[in-house]
Amino acid sequence: MWVIVWLQQLTTKAGETRAGKPFVGATGISSLTVHCTIRSCVEPGRARAGARQVALGIHMHRTILAAFLEFSRTAVSMCSAGIVLFPIAVWAAKADVERARGLDKIVALSNLCFAIPLAVFGAEHLSGARFIMLAVPSYMPWRLFWAYFVGCALLAASVSIATKIQVRWSGLLFGIMMTIFVAMIHIPGALASPRDRFTWTIVIREMSFAGGAWTLAGSAMRGQGKSKLITVGRVLIAIAAIFFGVEHFLHPAGCPGVPLAKLMPGWIPGRLVMGYLTGAILLVAGLAILLGKKTRMAATYLGTWIVLLVLFIYGPILIVQLADPSTAAKVEGINYFADTLLFAGAILALASATPRTE
């Protein structure tokens, strides 16, 4: 009888979170209760050992599930931020998409592609601030404050760009913030490891994000500053496209778009062909954009290609990594998806800001 009471108490404890709410399916332990009760009657010498094994198994289950719930909080907040902003950005872009024809419908989604990653990264800063603060230079005071501050700034910029309200300020300030990050964090890191190609890729990537933001700001402005901001953005995006194109030819097995450390999974068919093709598109479009020849067409085709990569390469990768119990895998999958979508948004912003005659 004492075995039943003890296991029932253990079952209740195992089915509680730290908030005291029961897990779904916590009553599944009842079969174990019956099994142990029978063994206590038939094999009394082994009942205590069996009970200890059950207790150990329940404790391990609680530990694993509690760790999953605790550390997946960042992944959940990142996904939630993107999902919440998505319908807002779609509503704001609806009229432009309806007026557009052909691939211009993709170009009309430039603000959406740019804003959603900012919301995702903003949520990451707020939910994982104690980890993000480690990237803040040690000479900076209030490192935790800056992690939260940047998170709030990213969320504010994402809403502004998605709704197309005060984009001239949100785009301008976001571009300045990315430039500060490059100067204070990424360039010192690249100079400390000059042979590490990934550190330089990050420098180029962040500057392309700044270029896209300034292009959005320039499109929302009137007057002399408009063309200058768009020109700076065009050059930064072109440099990134050319650099990434060369990297794809040197390392075609990497995930396409923004060439970082992650390799394309083995279940993706034609990985090397995909790498070389993406490299060729990046290189040709980047040169055309840099030289100002058919800029709108080059940016439209390149941006559309990167969006397709996000949907059909990074989308499945994201799903696989979200199913992984590791929080690091979840966050990595979200980051790669959002990074590449942001790069696509920067390119499409350039296409949108460029007259059809250019």
Side-chain angles (χ1 to χ4, degrees):
M1 185 66 181
W2 66 270
V3 176
I4 298 176
V5 174
W6 176 78
L7 279 175
Q8 285 175 342
Q9 292 175 347
L10 188 60
T11 302
T12 302
K13 292 180 180 179
E16 295 177 352
T17 64
R18 285 187 290 181
K21 296 181 180 179
F23 291 130
V24 176
T27 55
I29 196 71
S30 58
S31 60
L32 292 175
T33 302
V34 173
H35 178 68
C36 289
T37 304
I38 294 174
R39 288 192 62 181
S40 68
C41 298
V42 179
E43 304 175 72
R46 300 173 59 186
R48 292 185 180 180
R52 281 196 297 269
Q53 291 177 356
V54 172
L56 178 61
I58 293 173
H59 176 71
M60 291 176 64
H61 177 74
R62 284 186 64 197
T63 303
I64 293 170
L65 189 54
F68 175 82
L69 291 173
E70 173 68 21
F71 294 109
S72 64
R73 177 179 57 190
T74 300
V76 170
S77 64
M78 293 169 73
C79 291
S80 299
I83 292 170
V84 168
L85 192 67
F86 179 76
I88 299 174
V90 169
W91 175 79
K94 182 180 177 182
D96 292 336
V97 172
E98 289 176 349
R99 286 195 299 267
R101 295 289 181 271
L103 290 181
D104 283 344
K105 289 184 178 292
I106 306 296
V107 174
L109 297 175
S110 58
N111 286 57
L112 180 149
C113 294
F114 204 92
I116 289 177
L118 299 192
V120 170
F121 297 144
E124 182 181 19
H125 277 71
L126 295 180
S127 60
R130 294 195 176 276
F131 176 77
I132 297 292
M133 67 178 283
L134 300 178
V136 179
S138 57
Y139 57 79
M140 287 287 292
W142 313 318
R143 297 168 76 193
L144 183 60
F145 163 78
W146 290 115
Y148 283 120
F149 177 82
V150 170
C152 293
L154 288 170
L155 288 176
S158 70
V159 174
S160 169
I161 293 172
T163 58
K164 302 181 182 181
I165 297 173
Q166 295 296 328
V167 177
R168 60 177 180 173
W169 288 112
S170 58
L172 180 65
L173 294 174
F174 174 75
I176 292 173
M177 185 174 72
M178 296 307 295
T179 305
I180 292 173
F181 289 167
V182 169
M184 294 179 63
I185 300 172
H186 302 305
I187 286 182
L191 293 177
S193 304
R195 297 184 179 224
D196 186 351
R197 65 186 179 93
F198 299 124
T199 58
W200 292 107
T201 298
I202 291 173
V203 169
I204 300 296
R205 180 195 68 185
E206 304 297 276
M207 289 309 300
S208 73
F209 295 165
W214 285 334
T215 301
L216 286 170
S219 299
M221 287 182 179
R222 292 173 182 163
Q224 289 184 323
K226 175 177 180 176
S227 60
K228 293 179 180 178
L229 277 175
I230 295 175
T231 299
V232 171
R234 177 175 64 83
V235 172
L236 291 175
I237 292 169
I239 291 173
I242 294 170
F243 182 89
F244 294 165
V246 173
E247 284 289 297
H248 276 74
F249 279 103
L250 296 176
H251 310 279
C255 280
V258 181
L260 291 170
K262 189 173 185 61
L263 299 177
M264 271 191 280
W267 45 265
I268 295 178
R271 289 177 295 165
L272 293 182
V273 174
M274 183 73 65
Y276 285 123
L277 178 60
T278 301
I281 294 173
L282 282 163
L283 200 54
V284 172
L287 288 171
I289 292 170
L290 184 64
L291 297 174
K293 304 295 184 181
K294 302 290 184 182
T295 301
R296 183 182 176 94
M297 183 176 71
T300 299
Y301 286 137
L302 177 58
T304 301
W305 178 252
I306 301 298
V307 169
L308 291 175
L309 292 179
V310 170
L311 294 176
F312 297 107
I313 301 295
Y314 288 96
I317 290 175
L318 174 62
I319 293 171
V320 170
Q321 297 205 215
L322 285 177
D324 194 299
S326 168
T327 298
K330 289 182 175 67
V331 173
E332 180 191 66
I334 298 169
N335 273 316
Y336 271 95
F337 184 93
D339 268 342
T340 313
L341 183 60
L342 184 54
F343 184 52
I347 299 167
L348 293 174
L350 176 63
S352 179
T354 306
R356 297 181 184 277
T357 55
E358 294 185 21

